[in-house]
Amino acid sequence: MGGDEFAILLENTTPEAAQPFAEHLLKQIAESFEYDNHKLTLRASIGLASLQYTLSKEDVIRNADLAMYEAKRRGKNQVVVFKVNFLDIVSRRMQLEQALREALNNQELDIWFQPILDAKNGRVIGLEALSRWKLSNEQIPPDEFISIAETSGMITKLGRQVFDKVGAALQELRVEYPDLQCNVNLSLRQFRDSDLTEDILLCLAKYKLPPSALHLELTESMIAESETEILPTMQNLVSHGFKFHLDDFGTGYSSLERLKNLPFDTLKIDRSFVVPLRQDDHVMVKNIINIGHELGMNLIAEGVETEVEVKKLLQLGCHHIQGYYFARPMPLEELKVWLTEQTQALATNTQAKNSELNRVASK
């Protein structure tokens, strides 16, 4: 059907009855094989749809396609049977794609910021920029509209707008907080469809910012899929003074060899490893922290929501924290108020500690 898409017609069966065959096929495809002295492994996603006399052949293929894309959305390497509500999903997706194109043309997407703190002293060490989009009265989930931007090719335009809005915000914020930096998430298509280095350097020049003001985030799954493709651009950006963070660490397929060879400055520990700390299950977090320390990398724990998690992370040697426990994502105007309050609280705490030390010393 295409470069890497195939169709199989099974007679005298139903999608449900064909599912064991499809699952067996996935296992067969996943068996590793040798090619040109390399061991390769493939994965597939399968969508099943029934032939009905009321449907054209185009409708049948469309239905199978929709089921296949749903299998990909669920994490790939799965079998999904077509359901009628998938048509509603497609209809919504088409409407959102058109609305997103208009929103980008009108610069209507917002950037919210989530602070990252040093839990040892309460000092803000940075921010993460997060895209937000409100359509009419509905807040569209970021995963949904970013996925649409990816598949439609709008992600490069969205990425440039993110850089521009983050640059403008940092220029304003760094008047009062000169060392403040912000993490920006990157997409694979930004590496493919644009001169990413030029886009970022133009943003810095426009807002008179040093490379240290922007940290660049990549996900672990993105690295696993496209390491050789994005490495030259990563190295080019590092040569200009930029730092890379590896997001969602521990959820993908990174090997120690890959971590050693790629120019990452910081590992971000995924929330899925932070939550078990509430039950005193710290094996995975401890191992990730040890790996980071062995490789001389910084560490940030994501999705931290409770005091128990904070205390455990500090005990294990990770004190840079991002999560609801300290602050939720917020628009720029709220962030300014939050930063002022945080700075005042920090100054009050420091003053109280100094007073206590002076009192003890005077005794």
Side-chain angles (χ1 to χ4, degrees):
M1 304 296 292
D4 61 351
E5 291 189 1
F6 304 86
I8 297 173
L9 181 62
L10 297 177
E11 294 185 284
N12 302 319
T13 187
T14 64
E16 288 74 20
Q19 194 152 352
F21 165 79
E23 290 170 352
H24 177 68
L25 187 58
L26 284 183
K27 289 178 183 176
Q28 294 291 107
I29 290 171
E31 288 187 3
S32 60
F33 61 95
E34 295 278 339
Y35 177 79
D36 197 18
N37 295 321
H38 293 283
K39 191 173 185 179
L40 302 179
T41 303
L42 300 179
R43 293 287 186 271
S45 299
I46 297 179
L48 299 175
S50 62
L51 280 74
Q52 300 169 14
Y53 291 115
T54 55
L55 298 177
S56 67
K57 62 180 183 293
E58 289 82 12
D59 288 337
V60 174
I61 292 170
R62 177 205 61 199
N63 292 352
D65 253 350
L66 292 177
M68 180 191 68
Y69 283 114
E70 177 62 15
K72 288 185 176 183
R73 190 190 68 79
R74 293 181 187 180
K76 303 182 181 180
N77 200 39
Q78 295 190 39
V79 178
V80 170
V81 177
F82 171 78
K83 292 182 174 59
V84 174
N85 71 310
F86 289 177
L87 294 171
D88 296 331
I89 294 170
V90 172
S91 175
R92 173 178 168 85
R93 192 175 181 90
M94 290 174 64
Q95 291 173 355
L96 287 180
E97 184 175 330
Q98 184 177 354
L100 180 59
R101 189 167 275 110
E102 288 182 26
L104 288 174
N105 288 338
N106 298 326
Q107 299 266 345
E108 289 173 357
L109 262 71
D110 295 320
I111 301 298
W112 287 23
F113 300 89
Q114 186 170 31
I116 304 168
L117 288 86
D118 186 334
K120 290 196 298 186
N121 53 30
R123 186 173 60 87
V124 178
I125 63 163
L127 311 166
E128 180 176 355
L130 301 163
S131 298
R132 293 291 184 266
W133 179 32
K134 192 171 186 178
L135 178 61
S136 300
N137 291 320
E138 182 185 3
Q139 198 78 40
I140 309 299
D143 287 351
E144 187 173 15
F145 74 78
I146 288 173
S147 171
I148 292 170
E150 287 266 10
T151 55
S152 65
M154 288 186 277
I155 194 69
T156 301
K157 187 170 187 176
L158 188 154
R160 288 187 181 123
Q161 290 189 17
V162 170
F163 282 129
D164 190 72
K165 291 180 179 183
V166 168
L170 280 174
Q171 185 183 54
E172 183 179 354
L173 292 169
R174 282 167 70 97
V175 172
E176 230 175 303
Y177 312 97
D179 298 324
L180 195 62
Q181 57 82 21
C182 187
N183 298 0
V184 176
N185 294 280
L186 297 180
S187 151
L188 181 57
R189 289 197 69 157
Q190 287 174 273
F191 284 84
R192 288 177 177 166
D193 298 350
S194 68
D195 188 336
L196 184 60
T197 304
E198 184 181 3
D199 288 347
I200 296 173
L201 291 176
L202 284 173
C203 172
L204 294 189
K206 178 178 179 180
Y207 294 106
K208 299 178 176 56
L209 297 169
S212 58
L214 277 182
H215 289 181
L216 308 171
E217 287 197 13
L218 305 178
T219 62
E220 188 175 10
S221 57
M222 181 176 161
I223 291 295
E225 289 177 16
S226 311
E227 176 185 344
T228 54
E229 183 179 359
I230 67 179
L231 182 57
T233 303
M234 286 182 71
Q235 291 171 331
N236 187 18
L237 286 162
V238 169
S239 72
H240 282 91
F242 294 97
K243 292 181 178 179
F244 278 91
H245 291 199
L246 182 57
D247 197 10
D248 301 335
F249 182 70
T251 61
Y253 311 98
S254 286
S255 64
L256 288 177
E257 194 63 29
R258 177 177 282 137
L259 285 179
K260 283 164 62 179
N261 294 336
L262 290 170
F264 283 106
D265 171 81
T266 300
L267 295 182
K268 298 191 78 176
I269 303 170
D270 188 70
R271 170 172 162 70
S272 61
F273 299 112
V274 171
V275 173
L277 293 174
R278 300 176 192 178
Q279 282 74 48
D280 203 27
D281 179 358
H282 58 259
V283 174
M284 289 301 296
V285 170
K286 184 177 180 180
N287 286 335
I288 293 171
I289 291 171
N290 288 341
I291 289 169
H293 288 163
E294 286 291 324
L295 295 174
M297 301 172 77
N298 296 312
L299 293 142
I300 297 173
E302 296 184 286
V304 179
E305 296 185 357
T306 68
E307 186 176 359
V308 170
E309 292 166 359
V310 173
K311 287 181 176 178
K312 292 285 184 184
L313 286 163
L314 285 171
Q315 289 169 9
L316 293 168
C318 176
H319 51 93
H320 289 171
I321 306 290
Q322 179 179 350
Y324 288 2
Y325 180 77
F326 287 113
R328 291 172 177 263
M330 60 192 93
L332 181 60
E333 292 308 312
E334 285 184 28
L335 175 68
K336 291 177 190 174
V337 175
W338 185 92
L339 284 170
T340 300
E341 291 173 350
Q342 188 70 15
T343 303
Q344 289 172 348
L346 196 59
T348 301
N349 289 340
T350 302
Q351 189 176 11
K353 285 180 183 177
N354 289 338
S355 298
E356 180 63 19
L357 287 172
N358 290 335
R359 189 178 65 78
V360 171
S362 65
K363 285 184 176 179

